[in-house]
Amino acid sequence: MRIFATGWRSVREAGPRRLVLTGLMLILALLLARFSWQIWFTDTAERALYDAREYYLSELVEPDMRVVIIAFDDQALIELQKRSPLPRDTIAAALRNIDTLGAKAIGVDILFDQPQAEDAELIETLRAMQTPTAVGYASVDTNALDIEYEQQLYLDEFMAAVEGPNVRRASIRLAENEGVTRLWPDIIDGSPPLLGRVMLEMAGDPAAERFAGYEGAIRFRRPAFADEPVVPSLSIMVFSMDEIFAIPEARAEFETAVRDSYVLIGGDITDYDRALTPLSGFTDAAVEQGGRSVRPPGIAIHAATIAQMLDGDRLRQPSPWYLWALAMLVVIAATLTALLELRNWKFIPLLVAQVLLFIGLPFFLHERGVDTHGFPAVGPALGWILAFTAVTSAARASGAVQRKFAQGALGKYLPQSIAEEIIEKPELLRLGGEKREIYVLFSDLEGFTKMSHAIAPEMVAKLLNRYLEMLSDVVLAHGGILDKFIGDAVVAFWGAPIARPDDATRAAQCGYAIWQAGEAFREEVARMDPSLPPIGKTRVGLHFGEAVVGNFGGENRIQYTALGDSMNTAARLESGNKTFRTSVMASEEFASRSGLKWWRRMGRVILSGRSRPVELYEPAPDFAEHDRRTLNTAVEMLDTAREGAIRTIGAMAAKYPEDTGLAALLERCRDLNADGAYVMAGK
């Protein structure tokens, strides 16, 4: 159980209120997994998934000759020139002829609830039936939408006249839920059994007894071939014509179709007594054009119940305790998964396996003959998500304080985004160092050390803290790493521990912003206390090069820093600003990578302690673009046409008399060595 230990410890440390909330969410997850068929926002999805199971797992069958539908279709009504009520003399004639064909039983899915002139003929025919016959019945109590009180009075009178040894009343009520017929109708005390049950009982078929009390799902089947029905259907017109039955060949053909079959008589009319089934939503246009509407007639659903009984396909009902056990399993699985300390790639297979289990289980059980109407599928998936979220949020809440502390500590010298990434990947701060290419910034406050001797130590600390705070904010805002403070000097770098494509641009913009922050600090101090000595300007050096970056120190204390010649070069560029009479100076290696167009070339120098010259670039965003190009060309010409270049630079310095950097450049150009570089005398 060690793999759960860290996660469980995190949950326990979440605090009492969070634990109570987590417990409530787990209870909600349990209820969602158990009662998703009864919850308003999941019941529709459960029904849709059930319909998908019923469709894709339904049996494909050839025409089932055990059941025959003899129907009033639209063509028959056209020929009879009568639509409602259905002509009872036609029904009587058909019954007389069918009675001679050897059917096992006949079911009439028609309500005789209104008096007609042909009633006497129909009553006489029914009384004389030798074939067991079930006649459709309904009452106001059970079929309020199909029959009114006056109609029921006549229907009761009609049934009393025809019932006998071979004629019984049978319910034609179908069960609809949200407009779709999926289940057998519930059994109501005092009401006759369903039409198909009565037919099998009267025929003495033991299948009727096996389905006693069944109120589960109807098992629907699909045709094996698009142009054939599941149950054969014939027009009632041919069975009502005595002259056709007088032909021996025709009679023999009808007898072959009907003998030993259960015959259903009713309507297959376009706009009457039709119902949606689980298969309706998956029936495509081609099937509908083939003659089977997505809304089959009620008589076809009765045929489906008869076939289900004949096949003995009484679907097993899952125990409520089984459903509770499944819901508990969902919550336990989600909780244990949330407590696991697994990497993403290891977690995904486990998640997929559980999703397949909870959504696939109903399909497996459906295929195995279990009634999955009411069996949760969507609920367990959503319950798993809710339980998993509850536990992981509790674990994360306990780690939030530690994470916040760690981020705060790292955020003192790292940008927030990098600090967060290091929290996620601690290996980025491995002990020791590695060689990296970095962008280095070195800044210093001119004259601050001298000034600190002239004011109270408390004021020195206050001013220094304010100054470093302002510069630190600038560095972090530009994504830099605060390496260290050296008195009033700030050292920062970009490119480690995480390198980003825009590091050079950020570093360049930060260098200029550091100088601006220094100027703002000077103004702030002057306003705060005019009696204080004036604050010097902030100087910045920028360089790009290799350095060894990592954690250095001893057993008791380490520091994340960068070491190497690039750090020293940036420091000498910063101090060189005094000679250059500038505020920000960068090397060519730095400026060329920044992607910015604000640089102006400031000649070539050999820094103190260095043998190789450095090309200088100064950020000058407000310098006229035409003059920038002219100056850059002139500096480049110092190697080939020095006198002309000096004249151009002199003219530029005269144009900008207040630009101390140009004046200093002109002076250096007149004191270049043989290689065209100015050699700096001191650090």
Side-chain angles (χ1 to χ4, degrees):
M1 301 300 287
R2 187 174 297 176
I3 57 175
F4 302 109
T6 302
W8 174 238
R9 183 171 60 252
S10 297
V11 172
R12 285 190 289 109
E13 293 174 355
R17 295 179 61 183
R18 173 63 68 171
L19 289 176
V20 170
L21 178 60
T22 301
L24 291 175
M25 291 181 68
L26 292 178
I27 292 173
L28 289 177
L30 179 68
L31 296 176
L32 178 59
R34 173 62 182 87
F35 295 110
S36 53
W37 275 84
Q38 291 79 37
I39 299 174
W40 63 270
F41 59 87
T42 55
D43 60 340
T44 301
E46 291 287 10
R47 288 193 296 269
L49 203 54
Y50 170 81
D51 292 348
R53 293 194 295 271
E54 182 67 17
Y55 178 81
Y56 289 110
L57 299 178
S58 58
E59 183 183 3
L60 299 177
V61 297
E62 296 181 358
D64 188 349
M65 305 306 296
R66 297 172 302 173
V67 185
V68 177
I69 293 176
I70 297 177
F72 280 98
D73 54 20
D74 292 293
Q75 183 60 40
L77 298 181
I78 292 173
E79 294 178 14
L80 293 168
Q81 298 183 352
K82 186 176 182 180
R83 190 171 187 84
S84 180
L86 297 175
R88 294 176 184 174
D89 54 346
T90 303
I91 298 173
L95 284 171
R96 287 193 296 270
N97 289 324
I98 296 170
D99 193 30
T100 65
L101 298 179
K104 286 188 174 181
I106 301 171
V108 182
D109 183 21
I110 301 171
L111 290 178
F112 302 111
D113 55 359
Q114 300 177 35
Q116 297 292 310
E118 308 92 349
D119 283 354
E121 179 185 356
L122 180 58
I123 290 172
E124 182 181 353
T125 299
L126 286 170
R127 285 177 172 174
M129 292 294 293
Q130 298 301 309
T131 304
T133 303
V135 179
Y137 180 81
S139 68
V140 175
D141 294 334
T142 60
N143 298 68
L145 297 178
D146 299 323
I147 191 170
E148 297 180 357
Y149 179 71
E150 291 77 9
Q151 292 175 296
Q152 183 180 342
L153 291 178
Y154 182 78
L155 179 59
D156 288 337
E157 181 181 338
F158 181 89
M159 295 304 301
V162 301
E163 280 185 302
N166 291 326
V167 177
R168 285 173 50 186
R169 67 181 69 191
S171 173
I172 59 172
R173 180 174 63 93
L174 296 176
E176 285 193 2
N177 180 259
E178 297 295 327
V180 181
T181 301
R182 300 182 177 92
L183 303 174
W184 286 57
D186 54 330
I187 298 172
I188 301 176
D189 291 339
S191 296
L194 190 64
L195 181 64
R197 291 186 200 268
V198 175
M199 292 172 65
L200 267 66
E201 288 175 1
M202 296 181 72
D205 196 314
E209 183 63 28
R210 290 194 295 269
F211 269 75
Y214 183 73
E215 297 178 346
I218 300 174
R219 183 214 55 186
F220 290 95
R221 300 174 299 168
R222 290 189 289 142
F225 304 101
D227 57 346
E228 293 183 347
V230 173
V231 174
S233 181
L234 304 171
S235 174
I236 197 171
M237 295 302 296
V238 295
F239 287 91
S240 65
M241 297 178 182
D242 294 337
E243 59 273 23
I244 293 180
F245 271 76
I247 302 173
E249 294 80 1
R251 177 184 173 82
E253 185 174 345
F254 292 140
E255 185 173 0
T256 300
V258 170
R259 178 170 294 279
D260 294 327
S261 297
Y262 290 93
V263 177
L264 287 167
I265 299 175
D268 186 0
I269 305 168
T270 302
D271 57 357
Y272 180 73
D273 189 26
R274 310 191 81 86
L276 292 172
T277 71
L279 311 186
S280 297
F282 301 88
T283 304
D284 58 25
V287 171
E288 186 169 0
Q289 292 172 4
R292 295 188 307 282
S293 169
V294 297
R295 299 178 67 96
I299 196 171
I301 297 176
H302 286 295
T305 63
I306 294 173
Q308 184 175 359
M309 287 188 288
L310 294 176
D311 290 335
D313 199 0
R314 179 172 178 141
L315 304 179
R316 301 187 300 277
Q317 306 291 313
S319 165
W321 292 108
Y322 181 90
L323 300 182
W324 276 111
L326 174 64
M328 288 293 296
L329 176 63
V330 167
V331 174
I332 293 172
T335 300
L336 294 179
T337 304
L339 294 177
L340 284 173
E341 291 290 321
L342 293 180
R343 299 267 183 199
N344 289 340
W345 66 272
K346 292 183 179 179
F347 171 77
I348 291 175
L350 182 62
L351 174 62
V352 171
Q354 292 183 66
V355 170
L356 291 178
L357 172 63
F358 296 130
I359 293 183
L361 181 61
F363 281 86
F364 173 77
L365 295 176
H366 195 103
E367 176 68 22
R368 303 292 294 178
V370 175
D371 185 356
T372 61
H373 186 277
F375 193 99
V378 176
L382 296 180
W384 189 96
I385 293 173
L386 180 59
F388 180 82
T389 302
V391 177
T392 53
S393 63
R396 288 173 181 171
S398 68
V401 174
Q402 299 175 8
R403 183 185 183 92
K404 185 176 181 180
F405 174 80
Q407 286 181 346
L410 288 173
K412 299 298 183 181
Y413 64 98
L414 299 178
Q416 189 69 18
S417 59
I418 293 181
E420 291 176 357
E421 191 160 352
I422 288 174
I423 292 293
E424 296 295 334
K425 302 176 181 177
E427 63 271 15
L428 293 172
L429 290 179
R430 65 174 65 91
L431 187 63
E434 60 178 343
K435 186 177 289 187
R436 300 289 290 269
E437 291 185 330
I438 62 173
Y439 300 86
V440 184
L441 179 151
F442 197 103
S443 77
D444 191 34
L445 183 57
E446 186 180 51
F448 186 81
T449 302
K450 182 179 179 180
M451 185 193 74
S452 65
H453 296 297
I455 59 177
E458 294 80 9
M459 181 57 69
V460 172
K462 180 178 179 181
L463 293 177
L464 183 59
N465 284 335
R466 174 59 180 156
Y467 176 73
L468 295 178
E469 178 187 18
M470 293 176 66
L471 267 60
S472 298
D473 289 344
V474 172
V475 171
L476 295 178
H478 287 81
I481 305 297
L482 276 171
D483 183 10
K484 62 177 72 73
F485 299 135
I486 307 174
D488 55 81
V490 174
V491 184
F493 58 84
W494 287 255
I498 300 170
R500 297 183 176 180
D502 60 346
D503 278 341
T505 304
R506 288 172 177 264
Q509 292 171 337
C510 182
Y512 193 76
I514 285 283
W515 169 74
Q516 291 177 316
E519 293 300 294
F521 176 71
R522 297 173 71 184
E523 296 175 2
E524 181 180 306
V525 172
R527 290 193 305 269
M528 180 180 65
D529 190 348
S531 65
L532 290 172
I535 301 293
K537 66 179 181 180
T538 297
R539 300 187 301 240
V540 181
L542 302 167
H543 182 60
F544 170 81
E546 287 187 344
V548 178
V549 183
N551 286 302
F552 300 97
E555 181 179 348
N556 298 321
R557 186 179 184 275
I558 62 172
Q559 180 182 2
Y560 186 77
T561 187
L563 305 173
D565 187 65
S566 58
M567 311 296 287
N568 298 328
T569 301
R572 283 169 169 74
L573 286 171
E574 176 276 313
S575 63
N577 279 294
K578 187 174 183 179
T579 301
F580 309 144
R581 294 179 230 168
T582 53
S583 297
V584 184
M585 192 60 68
S587 65
E588 181 182 29
E589 291 85 351
F590 184 98
S592 63
R593 289 171 169 81
S594 69
L596 301 175
K597 305 299 183 183
W598 63 8
W599 303 102
R600 64 180 188 180
R601 298 187 64 173
M602 298 300 284
R604 184 185 304 136
V605 301
I606 296 178
L607 298 171
S608 175
R610 295 290 184 270
S611 59
R612 296 178 58 185
V614 175
E615 295 285 350
L616 301 180
Y617 283 76
E618 181 190 15
D622 300 326
F623 200 61
E625 183 61 29
H626 172 73
D627 292 338
R628 188 195 314 277
R629 290 196 298 269
T630 301
L631 176 63
N632 291 346
T633 302
V635 172
E636 187 175 356
M637 290 173 58
L638 286 170
D639 291 333
T640 57
R642 184 174 300 179
E643 293 302 323
I646 292 175
R647 285 195 298 271
T648 301
I649 295 172
M652 190 69 66
K655 183 177 180 180
Y656 295 95
E658 296 181 357
D659 193 328
T660 58
L662 287 177
L665 171 62
L666 181 60
E667 293 176 8
R668 295 196 304 277
C669 290
R670 292 170 177 160
D671 191 18
L672 302 178
N673 65 9
D675 295 325
Y678 176 81
V679 180
M680 297 183 65
K683 185 176 178 181

